[in-house]
Amino acid sequence: MSDITPTSAERAAKLEGMGCKRKRVEDIRFTQGKGNYVDDIKLPGMLYGDFTRSPHAHARVKKIDTTKASALPGVVSVITAETLKTVNLAWMPTLAGDVQMVLADGKVLFQNQEVAFVIAEDRYTAADAAELVEVEYEALPCNVDPLKAMAKDAPVIREDIKDKKEGAHGPRKHYNHIFNWQAGNKAAADAAFAKADVTIKEMIVYPRVHPCPLETCQCVASFDKVKGELTLYGTFQAPHVIRTVGSLISKIPEHKIHVIAPDIGGGFGNKVGAYPGYICSIVASIVTGRPVKWTEDRIENLSTTAFARDFHMETEIACTRDGKILGLRCNTIADHGAFDACANATKWPAGLFSIISGSYDIPAAHVSVDGVYTNKAPGGVAYRCSFRVTEAAYAIERAMDIMAQKLGMDPADFRMKNLIRREQFPYTSAFGWVYDSGDYQTALQKAMQAVNYSKLRAEQAQRQEAFKRGETRELMGIGVIFFTEIVGAGPSRNCDILGIAMFDSAEIRIHPTGSGICRLGTKSQGQGHETTYAQIIATELGLPADNITVEEGNTDTAPYGLGTYGSRSTPVSGAATAMACRKIKAKAQMIAAYMLEVHDDDLEWDVDRFRVKGNPERFKTMTELAWAAYHEVPPGMEPGLEAVDYYDPPNFTFPFGAYVCVVDVDVDTGMIKVRRFYALDDCGTRINPMIIEGQIHGGLTEAFGIAMGQEIHYDDDGNVTTASLMDYFLPTAVETPHWETDWTTTPSPHHPIGAKGVGESPNVGGVPCFSNAVNDAFKFLGSTHIQMPHDNWRTWMAADKLGLHQ
Ligand code: CDP
């Protein structure tokens, strides 16, 4: 062999497989403005739809007069609930087992609710005509406070079900009650509290926020009357689910519905559900016989399509005097708005909220969640989190700090004392979740050393003395958190949506020349799937990542999948991709054995080839085997080299992380400077470290937005006061702090490549870390808990309440 023969390591590097900081292939088109988004789709004869929306939060609709709107030149049709009733589509089912008005049917239940849909030759005419629809309303008393929703005299939000004692998730105890869901062992938790030395109890509120993707929700519906087929382009995180739901609602056979999700500009959960805009566009296309486009504007996006959080969590911890946690309790009121359109797996009306015991070895725990109706927009999606995990992480991490404060312990020491130990994995939590793997102490220690934690605390102590002496008006806060996520929904025993198990899929076809295509049921919205799935295939099959096309978002070509949200792509479809590769590789091995005239077992894999054991000069590369698969297969074997895998994960994956944040708070202005933010993440095997870093940066920036200023706020009359980017804080590069990222690697034992999800970790861990830092700054003055968001005004108010402005 000549010495220019590349080594195994050199051949592996050329593949750009797992572990490589491969540049994002999709960015070639994105950075040149050559992406293809829904708004780029222009079909011949296309019409445009726009909504007339309710100015009231709660009102009876006495009359809708569409005469003036219909008379405007360019208007083709105006649809109301009465029109939709003729096709039985005035109401639609939600993912949570409720029903939701498509267009106002007798009442409006939240501000900006859809009342009429105007279809016109261009978007401007549609918008003008929407203003001309005349609606007579009779205002009704409204309620936007979830804590008052079940009061005796609370306004009846849902007249359609007011007498129903049973909902989709069990008994209802009030006309505005949706469900009560409990997990854990109440008796054991109560017993732990009874014997505890120290307890804390705090109402921890995670306000209503919104995923606010840069691209709003939109679609183009095109119904072909001759073929009886519907093509629906849209911003869909879960295209197959949209196809199935679309078929069930419209009664168009599923094989005659073609759902295409082109490039998507951010989703973060907002683009999971089905919205009135989609239904109205489909009906409008059927009615007019022409394609119809619907595009949300920013106000519509922030005020009507799915919000996130709005969890009001009374959280309690019980401890021994020396800081060992004995128990946890949490009673939560979840505000779902006017309809329960929450996106969760069917059996979990409060999602995976029971991950609330976090990263700690807590022997007894219990949670109870009551969902309630209010006069707010429906939704309740996992905004860059896995089904309510962010709410859980926020509650436990704030509560941990509050308990440490009461015990007089350092919050990092208190966490270290209670973290689940490495030897306890696989660890079964008090809620029954089996955490797959972890090495928490190592991660926290690494984080403490990286930021020089003890030095920071010493500096803080000095600064506090200086503050007391009046030498400074700035407070220093140090936030420490440790989070555990539960991602990869999910195992069919736990998770389904409308009865469809939450498996996912990959179909890989290797072409004769050794290139190939991989099609998946997931859908990237910016996560870089075209880059990373190809890296898994490169390592598994020994073919260069550059030779693999990754295609998602077309229900006609992709195998059935449940879509991308809840960091499930890597845990579920990443696994399906590896398993499909292994099926292909097994066939390739048989072809290689036949060609090399040896038994299958006499071959071993070496990066990109099968070679004869003990005789490495004799080998067949995967590229050679691809060619052979199309003309030289063993007798009796069918030609071709492809496989499909539907992967039902045996368990979730449990990524984790240790974050530290340092802030300086000016008590006279309420201004908060983030001096430092350090994020250590462990997502198991890392496919693309550069993409992971990008995911962490993005998620931390969103967490910064949430913790420091985001809230979808309603006034007492139900007016949403934060429905534009003038009022809803979306951080830009100017405000965004510098991020320091780090990692440890603890592979998942049940995932074929050991990978866990990562996309949402920084949002889950980031929010409590910022909030703990701000709260930590005020702690030495006796403050226990300041609610998010920590904007200047609220921070100034917190300082004021502590008497700092006298
Ligand atoms: O479902 P979603 O794509 O939002 O989340 P994810 O599975 O956490 O993946 C986000 C991005 O990070 C994808 O491009 C993944 O391939 C990449 N990733 C990675 O490189 N290594 C991991 N262990 C996990 C994710």
Side-chain angles (χ1 to χ4, degrees), residues 395-529:
I396 181 71
E397 289 306 308
R398 278 298 306 126
M400 288 295 284
D401 262 29
I402 294 166
M403 179 52 105
Q405 183 179 1
K406 190 156 184 186
L407 290 167
M409 275 178 86
D410 179 273
D413 292 343
F414 180 51
R415 283 175 171 79
M416 192 64 93
K417 184 167 185 136
N418 286 286
L419 284 175
I420 300 161
R421 293 184 314 281
R422 184 170 37 182
E423 61 276 14
Q424 288 178 280
F425 290 93
Y427 171 83
T428 305
S429 79
F431 294 107
W433 298 117
V434 181
Y435 292 24
D436 57 351
S437 63
D439 185 356
Y440 294 176
Q441 272 87 358
T442 302
L444 187 55
Q445 262 154 15
K446 191 173 181 191
M448 296 294 98
Q449 277 160 14
V451 299
N452 203 341
Y453 184 69
S454 48
K455 194 165 164 221
L456 284 173
R457 284 287 176 207
E459 182 192 344
Q460 185 188 38
Q462 280 174 5
R463 296 271 297 271
Q464 287 168 351
E465 290 310 313
F467 186 88
K468 284 184 202 155
R469 290 194 299 269
E471 291 163 15
T472 175
R473 298 290 288 161
E474 260 191 3
L475 301 176
M476 177 179 167
I478 305 166
V480 182
I481 65 101
F482 200 100
F483 70 90
T484 297
E485 264 220 279
I486 170 170
V487 303
S492 58
R493 67 172 182 280
N494 299 117
C495 300
D496 71 271
I497 286 186
L498 301 173
I500 307 163
M502 291 187 72
F503 60 83
D504 228 289
S505 58
E507 181 198 277
I508 303 174
R509 198 172 291 172
I510 302 299
H511 309 316
T513 52
S515 65
I517 183 161
C518 175
R519 294 189 167 110
L520 303 111
T522 46
K523 176 64 205 164
S524 185
Q525 310 118 46
Q527 295 94 325
H529 288 179

Side-chain angles (χ1 to χ4, degrees), residues 525 527-529 532-533 536 564-571 683-689 691-692 695 755-760:
Q525 310 118 46
Q527 295 94 325
H529 288 179
T532 48
Y533 283 128
I536 297 175
T564 290
Y565 42 86
S567 273
R568 63 186 300 278
S569 302
T570 303
C683 59
T685 305
R686 289 149 53 86
I687 301 164
N688 184 327
I691 284 191
I692 292 174
Q695 293 286 301
K756 304 180 179 185
V758 77
E760 291 154 0

Side-chain angles (χ1 to χ4, degrees), residues 103-382:
L103 290 172
D105 184 15
K107 248 186 34 157
V108 285
L109 306 183
F110 62 94
Q111 192 180 50
N112 286 352
Q113 185 179 337
E114 300 79 2
V115 175
F117 191 64
V118 178
I119 307 124
E121 294 289 345
D122 64 77
R123 200 173 165 195
Y124 305 98
T125 308
D128 288 347
E131 303 271 303
L132 295 177
V133 174
E134 292 173 317
V135 189
E136 201 183 306
Y137 296 101
E138 178 195 316
L140 296 168
C142 81
N143 175 41
V144 291
D145 182 348
L147 303 185
K148 294 183 183 155
M150 290 199 281
K152 266 201 188 111
D153 56 349
V156 180
I157 314 280
R158 293 287 299 278
E159 284 171 8
D160 58 310
I161 52 167
K162 79 175 182 337
D163 298 322
K164 273 181 82 175
K165 300 279 175 253
E166 198 63 32
H169 303 288
R172 301 168 69 219
K173 49 189 175 199
H174 184 278
Y175 48 79
N176 289 332
H177 186 231
I178 309 174
F179 63 82
N180 174 265
W181 175 78
Q182 300 190 21
N185 184 331
K186 185 163 181 339
D190 290 349
F193 276 79
K195 69 172 184 218
D197 302 322
V198 188
T199 61
I200 61 114
K201 183 183 202 169
E202 188 67 50
M203 176 55 107
I204 296 172
V205 178
Y206 201 136
R208 176 173 280 232
V209 293
H210 195 280
C212 195
L214 286 186
E215 181 201 30
T216 58
C217 298
Q218 33 201 286
C219 72
V220 179
S222 179
F223 186 72
D224 182 328
K225 276 196 173 148
V226 178
K227 291 186 185 160
E229 293 191 6
L230 172 72
T231 305
L232 186 64
Y233 303 86
T235 47
F236 305 133
Q237 290 181 232
H240 283 99
V241 177
I242 292 286
R243 187 183 71 185
T244 303
V245 173
S247 174
L248 292 172
I249 294 176
S250 69
K251 306 283 182 268
I252 299 170
E254 197 166 355
H255 68 290
K256 295 202 169 198
I257 301 180
H258 316 285
V259 177
I260 298 168
D263 288 329
I264 297 184
F268 315 116
N270 183 228
K271 294 169 179 168
V272 171
Y275 296 123
Y278 305 158
I279 308 291
C280 288
S281 303
I282 294 169
V283 173
S285 181
I286 294 171
V287 169
T288 63
R290 292 165 65 178
V292 176
K293 179 182 276 191
W294 168 69
T295 311
E296 254 185 349
D297 65 23
R298 180 60 59 194
I299 291 175
E300 293 175 302
N301 180 254
L302 282 170
S303 62
T304 67
T305 43
F307 74 92
R309 326 298 194 228
D310 220 339
F311 258 39
H312 303 250
M313 306 168 286
E314 191 182 68
T315 312
E316 297 173 86
I317 295 182
C319 245
T320 60
R321 174 92 42 229
D322 63 351
K324 184 81 195 82
I325 303 176
L326 301 173
L328 171 85
R329 287 191 300 223
C330 181
N331 283 309
T332 291
I333 298 287
D335 186 341
H336 287 251
F339 307 98
D340 185 10
C342 191
N344 279 321
T346 307
K347 286 181 209 135
W348 306 96
L352 307 173
F353 187 63
S354 50
I355 190 74
I356 188 167
S357 52
S359 317
Y360 310 105
D361 186 14
I362 300 179
H366 179 254
V367 294
S368 169
V369 181
D370 284 294
V372 295
Y373 291 121
T374 61
N375 291 111
K376 294 176 175 174
V381 293

